[in-house]
Amino acid sequence: MRWIRFFHEVGLEDVPLVGGKNASLGEMLRELSPLGVKVPGGFATTSEAYRYFLEANGLKEAVAKELKDLDPDNPTLLAQASRRLRNLILKGTYPPDLEEEIRLAYRRLSEEAGEEALPVAVRSSATAEDLPTASFAGQQESYLHVQGEEDLLLHVKRAMASLFTARAISYRAHMGFDHLKVALSVGVQRMVRADTGASGVIFTLDPDTGHRGFVYITAIYGLGENIVQGRVGPDAYYVHKEARKAGYRALVHKKLGPKELTLAFDPREGRLRNRPTPPYLRKQFALSDDEALLLADWSIRIEAHYSQKRGAPTPMDIEWAKDGPTGELFILQARPETVHSQKAPVLRLYRLRERGEVLAEGLAVGEAIAAGRARVLRDPKEMDRFQEGEVLVTETTNPDWEPIMKRASAIVTERGGRTSHAAIVARELGVPAVVGAVGATRLIPEGETVTVSCAEGEVGRVYRGALPFEVEEVRPETLPRTRTRIMVNVGTPEEALRVSLLPTDGVGLLRMEFVFASHVRIHPLALTRFETLPKEVQRQVEELTEAYPDKKAYFVDTLAQGIGLIAAAFYPRPVLLRFSDFKTNEYARLLGGHLFEPKEENPMLGWRGASRYYHPDYKEGFALEVAAVRKVREEMGLKNLMVMVPFCRTPEEGAKVLEAMAEGGLRREEGLEVYVMAEIPSNILEAEAFAELFDGFSIGSNDLTQLALGLDRDSERVAALFDERRPTVQALSAMLIEKAHAKGKKVGICGQAPSDYPEFAAFLVERGIDSLSLNPDALLRTVRKVAEVERALGLG
């Protein structure tokens, strides 16, 4: 066949990484077939077939005339030209040989499937589409559940005509592509019954930060149009590439999405219909862990293939589907990711100087901050109301919104997730977006100035008014290198991906209790002693752990995923996890916690830290913490995770904690290091004895200052006396460094002081401390200070 290319057990959209007159779906698909990637069979017209169609209908001159001197920034003229161009193609007739080849190819595909008229998907693939530098995402049309020869011929023509949608014309003009040199192939694939299964999008990097260590998978029920158009919030899965390639079950994090709607084909009406997803399905993940790992394996192979083909790293944007009747997974298309892969490595740190009234919240896309007048729009036809630099507030977006989005300082949508149309375009435009902000069109006043902040972790916020913020921009290679290791303090998994891109030596403090509070939310003993709980508390625990018959497994999995995402983000740099250090009053705030925690007059000096881990009243809870650490290191394969024991009053207590860890199977094997916090004067005065038990020390300057000066920093009457720069605190810190080094052990600091006081950081560097762990916002300033001190000492 001259105008048709067949592919069997393949079906990805063409990625014309190298130009060519016969760019078609089949060409790329045959390349991926040996990779063991399962894709639906089909065929494609060649791009030459498109040109043949234009010539046979005498349309080349008419197309050129319509496009000549067209202003792509005039929405009205653009829409009119698009309508005329598409009508020209739709009114055209197929050359007899091209029509016959399409009919024969469809019959052959139907016969192979054992059906008289096979339902197919008709997908467009332009020769200037999906390049490594320009995605053209959503510019052309695709059609689902096309059935029968006549219907197929109609939709192939519609796909060709979609080369001239208003958005496609505008996009090509702004990206500098010659309209007349662009051609289009049309792929016809066996329809995967995702309408009774599931579908989603995969990026072989984190789509928000560009972190290349992950495969990021999203999943919904039904056809993928809902996820692309941002109508639903998907489930999300992070798989760590290196650990997965080494054979580990490296699904390091997953998050349940609302999956509000399911798009399916209604055979009675012969069309696609959106229906509410049943509540029981919304509470389940659309993919099993094994399915997510299989998709990750395929994605890693696809990325490796195209990276080798191009001779350069090529992160990919991939669509997948699960066939409902068979349960089989398929890859539908793949194209190069075009946002982060093209960015120069520049660090931009946005910080709000003050906060205000929050009008709406959702998922943060990007890490920027912007302010502007809010413009609430219901339909892209209202674009005349929108002014340059305003904040677009709407329910959801699709490609028809792009002329407006290009003029926005920020974007807020009520629906959608991180791979929705709004999120993808916002990243490409480099503007902050808050997606899935429920009620935003009602809560954000029309015409009022607002600040959109996506620089506060996973949650994006819309504040009333124009709030002051600052931006620091630096190229990583311009930062000075220091002998002292520079690490960061991390509290939550949501901030880990962004912070991990900073030029650091790892994480000096990961607070387990932050993951407890934001992800687990249940007191560990309420899970180990579930049957003893009052009925009302049991009901509340059941609501959170519905997917886990084994309540302890909920704790281990949830905690491991929070820790695992952070360890994976910084891999292979070390991540030092501090075991839980809630006080009794803080533990009591967890669900069910009031049933197990004593009331103490002074929780700061009470039953906290190490004293809990071996105590019969909490030991089983500590065993769950240990099991979560083992899961991260042994199952996920993240051997860069180290642990630290807080508030350990005596060496004897330290020995008991190490014994409790060993009982849980966590021993110093495969590089595991165990540190102790130095936050009690006894840790320093008896440093030699602690050094016999632990691999190193980390100074907790907050508690050390309190206990050395004998004050409670939370007491208003003595708070003014709290100062880590006091000679007493400095002398204790210097003493620890000297004693630990004499025993061959490392010393770091993870307290607040070096972040707040550059002079305190300088003092520690002068005394030879091994590492400083800083708050991320203090990193750049402190690195420069440390380099200056080291140069003065002759260490630079």
Side-chain angles (χ1 to χ4, degrees):
M1 288 187 173
R2 182 181 180 187
W3 308 113
I4 298 294
R5 297 288 184 270
F6 271 96
F7 42 94
H8 295 276
E9 291 308 314
V10 287
L12 298 172
E13 186 169 350
D14 181 48
V15 180
L17 299 170
V18 180
K21 65 179 182 178
N22 287 321
S24 73
L25 283 145
E27 293 172 12
M28 190 192 81
L29 307 175
R30 282 191 295 274
E31 291 181 4
L32 294 181
S33 186
L35 301 182
V37 175
K38 184 178 287 188
V39 288
F43 63 90
T45 64
T46 67
S47 53
E48 282 298 295
Y50 163 79
R51 294 189 176 95
Y52 179 42
F53 181 91
L54 291 188
E55 290 171 1
N57 286 277
L59 297 178
K60 290 183 68 175
E61 293 75 15
V63 170
K65 183 179 179 181
E66 281 287 354
L67 293 170
K68 186 179 180 181
D69 300 325
L70 177 64
D71 180 3
D73 293 317
N74 186 315
T76 302
L77 295 179
L78 186 63
Q80 292 172 352
S82 169
R83 190 159 47 248
R84 289 192 295 266
L85 284 164
R86 297 179 78 172
N87 283 335
L88 283 173
I89 293 175
L90 291 173
K91 290 177 181 177
T93 58
Y94 285 100
D97 56 343
L98 176 56
E99 178 178 337
E100 184 60 20
E101 284 197 13
I102 294 173
R103 289 182 184 275
L104 289 173
Y106 178 66
R107 290 171 195 164
R108 174 176 161 184
L109 191 63
S110 296
E111 289 170 5
E112 289 174 353
E115 296 192 35
E116 183 177 344
L118 179 70
V120 294
V122 177
R123 312 173 71 91
S124 60
S125 178
T127 54
E129 188 177 13
D130 298 331
L131 297 173
T133 55
S135 71
F136 284 77
Q139 303 306 316
Q140 278 77 57
E141 302 287 358
S142 293
Y143 304 94
L144 305 177
H145 276 278
V146 175
Q147 194 166 16
E149 292 179 23
E150 302 306 321
D151 202 25
L152 174 62
L153 288 166
L154 171 62
H155 284 89
V156 168
K157 196 186 295 186
R158 284 181 174 175
M160 288 194 292
S162 73
L163 191 62
F164 297 105
T165 61
R167 58 184 181 263
I169 297 170
S170 172
Y171 193 95
R172 285 195 297 270
H174 286 104
M175 295 298 291
F177 287 90
D178 187 334
H179 301 288
L180 299 178
K181 291 183 179 179
V182 175
L184 183 137
S185 64
V186 180
V188 178
Q189 297 173 275
R190 178 170 71 84
M191 188 70 205
V192 178
R193 291 301 305 272
D195 55 345
T196 59
S199 60
V201 176
I202 303 170
F203 287 93
T204 60
L205 47 61
D206 175 56
D208 284 330
T209 64
H211 195 303
R212 298 195 179 191
F214 296 92
V215 175
Y216 176 76
I217 303 168
T218 57
I220 60 171
Y221 296 115
L223 296 168
E225 188 74 4
N226 272 345
I227 201 169
V228 174
Q229 299 298 341
R231 298 190 190 105
V232 301
D235 298 335
Y237 310 77
Y238 283 91
V239 178
H240 187 244
K241 290 180 185 174
E242 291 304 315
R244 183 60 187 159
K245 286 189 280 189
Y248 292 98
R249 291 181 62 82
L251 177 55
V252 298
H253 192 70
K254 61 181 181 179
K255 185 173 183 179
L256 192 69
K259 304 183 293 295
E260 302 95 329
L261 300 170
T262 299
L263 182 63
F265 182 71
D266 188 329
R268 291 169 300 179
E269 298 184 14
R271 65 182 183 92
L272 298 175
R273 286 193 59 186
N274 247 328
R275 291 189 175 91
T277 305
Y280 79 95
L281 284 177
R282 294 181 62 178
K283 294 178 181 179
Q284 299 176 15
F285 282 95
L287 284 173
S288 69
D289 290 359
D290 286 341
E291 288 171 332
L293 290 169
L294 178 59
L295 287 173
D297 290 342
W298 289 352
S299 303
I300 290 169
R301 293 176 203 167
I302 291 170
E303 180 185 57
H305 173 80
Y306 280 98
S307 296
Q308 183 179 24
K309 183 180 178 74
R310 287 189 62 228
T314 305
M316 302 295 288
D317 172 354
I318 300 166
E319 292 183 17
W320 65 271
K322 179 180 178 180
D323 188 73
T326 66
E328 293 178 283
L329 292 170
F330 293 91
I331 297 295
L332 301 181
Q333 71 173 32
R335 55 182 168 232
E337 191 274 344
T338 57
V339 178
H340 295 288
S341 58
Q342 303 302 311
K343 285 184 177 178
V346 176
L347 300 173
R348 292 183 183 87
L349 301 180
Y350 288 77
R351 287 184 287 270
L352 278 175
R353 286 169 146 171
E354 62 183 61
R355 288 171 174 78
E357 179 189 351
V358 177
L359 299 173
E361 291 185 340
L363 292 173
V365 175
E367 296 137 32
I369 302 171
R373 184 182 291 108
R375 186 63 61 201
V376 180
L377 300 182
R378 305 288 177 180
D379 191 282
K381 294 176 182 176
E382 300 178 82
M383 67 173 65
D384 291 341
R385 292 179 51 218
F386 195 84
Q387 302 298 313
E388 188 83 27
E390 290 185 332
V391 174
L392 172 62
V393 183
T394 188
E395 182 182 356
T396 186
T397 68
N398 59 42
D400 292 330
W401 286 87
E402 290 180 23
I404 301 173
M405 299 169 79
K406 290 171 182 173
R407 301 162 65 194
S409 61
I411 298 164
V412 182
T413 66
E414 292 189 323
R415 308 180 80 165
R418 297 191 186 283
T419 55
S420 65
H421 175 267
I424 291 171
V425 173
R427 292 187 197 102
E428 191 161 314
L429 296 175
V431 301
V434 178
V435 298
V438 178
T441 60
R442 174 176 48 84
L443 298 170
I444 299 174
E446 166 82 11
E448 185 169 322
T449 298
V450 297
T451 299
V452 178
S453 173
C454 294
E456 303 172 66
E458 182 181 40
V459 178
R461 296 182 175 90
V462 182
Y463 294 95
R464 189 186 300 278
L467 301 182
F469 65 91
E470 58 189 33
V471 185
E472 184 169 11
E473 185 173 297
V474 64
R475 297 186 72 87
E477 64 271 17
T478 65
L479 285 176
R481 299 300 300 167
T482 61
R483 178 197 64 82
T484 308
R485 298 173 74 204
I486 303 297
M487 309 180 85
V488 285
N489 301 332
V490 177
T492 64
E494 290 74 23
E495 67 176 324
L497 291 166
R498 174 180 60 85
V499 174
S500 69
L501 298 179
L502 298 173
T504 72
D505 295 304
V507 176
L509 175 62
L510 165 54
R511 299 176 176 92
M512 182 183 285
E513 57 271 16
F514 281 14
V515 184
F516 253 91
S518 60
H519 289 257
V520 179
R521 294 182 285 171
I522 304 173
H523 193 287
L525 299 187
L527 298 166
T528 61
R529 307 177 190 178
F530 176 75
E531 300 302 330
T532 69
L533 300 177
K535 292 300 182 185
E536 176 57 22
V537 179
Q538 279 191 359
R539 184 191 63 77
Q540 293 174 300
V541 171
E542 281 284 11
E543 285 182 2
L544 288 175
T545 64
E546 188 175 9
Y548 287 88
D550 181 352
K551 302 307 173 190
K552 292 183 286 188
Y554 164 82
F555 182 97
V556 173
D557 282 1
T558 308
L559 185 58
Q561 287 170 21
I563 296 167
L565 182 61
I566 299 170
F570 283 87
Y571 185 91
R573 293 167 289 174
V575 171
L576 192 53
L577 169 71
R578 186 179 71 187
F579 285 119
S580 64
D581 192 26
F582 277 137
K583 288 72 175 175
T584 51
N585 59 323
E586 295 168 334
Y587 270 114
R589 295 191 197 114
L590 296 171
L591 180 56
H594 65 284
L595 300 169
F596 304 103
E597 295 298 326
K599 286 185 170 55
E600 296 183 305
E601 292 299 320
N602 190 349
M604 183 71 74
L605 296 179
W607 192 38
R608 60 175 286 200
S611 61
R612 297 180 68 95
Y613 305 156
Y614 58 87
H615 195 286
D617 288 344
Y618 185 76
K619 188 176 181 179
E620 65 201 73
F622 181 64
L624 296 183
E625 297 182 29
V626 168
V629 172
R630 288 189 62 194
K631 185 179 180 75
V632 173
R633 286 182 54 86
E634 298 169 17
E635 183 176 315
M636 297 178 183
L638 299 170
K639 302 298 174 63
N640 60 320
L641 181 67
M642 311 302 172
V643 294
M644 182 157 59
V645 178
F647 223 77
C648 187
R649 293 173 170 94
T650 68
E652 292 77 16
E653 189 168 59
K656 291 179 181 179
V657 171
L658 292 174
E659 183 180 339
M661 288 169 54
E663 289 176 11
L666 189 60
R667 300 177 178 85
R668 284 188 173 92
E669 296 172 354
E670 297 188 74
L672 175 66
E673 294 182 348
V674 184
Y675 289 73
V676 64
M677 291 287 292
E679 51 194 343
I680 307 169
S682 62
N683 299 139
I684 295 162
L685 297 174
E686 298 183 64
E688 294 86 354
F690 280 102
E692 295 295 329
L693 296 168
F694 296 100
D695 297 295
F697 298 82
S698 184
I699 299 170
S701 56
N702 290 349
D703 273 345
L704 182 61
T705 301
Q706 286 192 107
L707 298 175
L709 299 181
L711 56 82
D712 177 1
R713 69 178 185 273
D714 293 329
S715 169
E716 293 181 6
R717 289 178 172 81
V718 297
L721 299 172
F722 183 91
D723 191 337
E724 295 98 324
R725 296 167 294 180
R726 295 292 307 170
T728 299
V729 181
Q730 292 192 353
L732 287 170
S733 301
M735 184 188 301
L736 175 65
I737 294 169
E738 182 179 349
K739 287 186 172 188
H741 284 176
K743 298 289 287 184
K745 298 300 170 78
K746 294 172 284 189
V747 180
I749 184 167
C750 61
Q752 185 71 24
S755 295
D756 289 345
Y757 307 117
E759 65 271 31
F760 188 66
F763 168 81
L764 294 172
V765 171
E766 290 170 355
R767 295 301 184 276
I769 198 163
D770 297 288
S771 65
L772 303 176
S773 194
L774 309 163
N775 294 336
D777 60 0
L779 179 74
L780 301 179
R781 178 185 71 240
T782 309
V783 165
R784 291 166 180 150
K785 181 66 176 179
V786 169
E788 177 186 321
V789 173
E790 290 184 352
R791 282 195 300 272
L793 295 172
L795 301 174

